[in-house]
Amino acid sequence: NSVTQMEGPVTLSEEAFLTINCTYTATGYPSLFWYVQYPGEGLQLLLKATKADDKGSNKGFEATYRKETTSFHLEKGSVQVSDSAVYFCALSDPPIGGSYIPTFGRGTSLIVHP
Amino acid sequence: AAGVIQSPRHLIKEKRETATLKCYPIPRHDTVYWYQQGPGQDPQFLISFYEKMQSDKGSIPDRFSAQQFSDYHSELNMSSLELGDSALYFCASSLRRTTNTGELFFGEGSRLTVL
């Protein structure tokens, strides 16, 4: 399993449109996640989708599980300075015994200027 | 709501020394995970525990060991520290029977610096 994210940093002005690309390779039918890491904090789940064509959404962010393109791009229509953080795309395959072990991408830093 | 607690938040050690990190999961969570995040890197899975037994093992060096105690807290022990061990170490917890989609709850991390 692997996750590939666009490299950052992504620098935007406030109210700009955001897209952070994420593609994955996996066996089976994984669940897909976006986690966000604010400065000095741990990762927090932002949104998730568990099957093809599902759309996860939270705090104005959205991502659609596209099985045909193996993608889960993160979008937001109008970013705010407070959205500045590192965003991690992750996947989790159903386990064959054992626990779910999410695989993370490298993270994309977002910097939003006033 | 209670979150995952990690200690210490910051730790500075010399090469070849030993370090111990602690993690207190969210109450009633039965699974604990340890991740290592190097500078500019994605979090790498080290090891996990379910009901105090080792569950899965990732890229954990032989110099590292971990265990989960009867109160469900976990400790990551790192010996013969190397410069390359400098990283942010995250602990995460989950409740396995409801984690059928793999969502983890992370602590704020322990930053280890090896000089």
Side-chain angles (χ1 to χ4, degrees):
Chain A
N1 294 344
S2 66
V3 175
T4 302
Q5 290 181 234
M6 61 187 289
E7 289 200 22
V10 173
T11 304
L12 296 173
S13 297
E14 210 165 22
E15 298 183 4
F17 184 85
L18 168 71
T19 300
I20 300 178
N21 292 335
C22 170
T23 57
Y24 67 90
T25 58
T27 56
Y29 302 94
S31 296
L32 301 174
F33 308 84
W34 278 100
Y35 281 82
V36 58
Q37 184 180 25
Y38 297 104
E41 299 183 13
L43 281 71
Q44 305 171 28
L45 181 67
L46 179 60
L47 53 84
K48 66 182 179 184
T50 59
K51 60 183 187 296
D53 299 324
D54 266 3
K55 177 186 283 188
S57 61
N58 185 26
K59 299 181 181 179
F61 291 89
E62 292 184 340
T64 301
Y65 189 146
R66 302 284 188 200
K67 189 169 183 293
E68 64 277 12
T69 55
T70 61
S71 65
F72 192 54
H73 304 322
L74 182 68
E75 296 182 335
K76 186 175 185 182
S78 175
V79 293
Q80 305 299 313
V81 173
S82 57
D83 294 326
S84 298
V86 181
Y87 292 81
F88 291 89
C89 185
L91 70 80
S92 184
D93 251 342
I96 304 173
S99 49
Y100 285 85
I101 308 299
T103 298
F104 288 89
R106 290 206 161 196
T108 302
S109 175
L110 170 65
I111 301 169
V112 181
H113 293 295
Chain B
V4 176
I5 306 297
Q6 291 188 244
S7 68
R9 293 293 309 278
H10 301 274
L11 190 60
I12 299 174
K13 290 287 186 179
E14 300 277 342
K15 278 171 51 178
R16 292 180 288 278
E17 286 190 320
T18 297
T20 297
L21 306 181
K22 296 184 179 183
C23 170
Y24 296 85
I26 291 173
R28 289 184 290 282
H29 278 193
D30 52 22
T31 306
V32 168
Y33 308 76
W34 285 97
Y35 280 83
Q36 178 193 56
Q37 184 182 21
Q41 304 296 313
D42 54 300
Q44 292 291 317
F45 170 69
L46 294 178
I47 195 167
S48 67
F49 292 87
Y50 169 64
E51 285 292 346
K52 294 158 280 185
M53 298 290 290
Q54 182 181 307
S55 177
D56 294 277
K57 202 168 183 180
S59 52
I60 185 168
D62 291 341
R63 298 177 289 108
F64 292 11
S65 64
Q67 56 182 324
Q68 187 178 29
F69 294 86
S70 57
D71 64 351
Y72 289 91
H73 94 272
S74 179
E75 295 184 4
L76 178 67
N77 299 293
M78 300 173 283
S79 62
S80 302
L81 288 170
E82 302 174 356
L83 296 179
D85 296 329
S86 295
L88 194 54
Y89 290 82
F90 286 111
C91 173
S93 73
S94 68
L95 184 59
R96 178 175 287 197
R97 64 178 174 82
T98 64
T99 314
N100 59 344
T101 55
E103 176 182 350
L104 306 186
F105 296 81
F106 284 82
E108 293 183 333
S110 293
R111 183 170 296 283
L112 171 66
T113 301
V114 181
L115 302 176

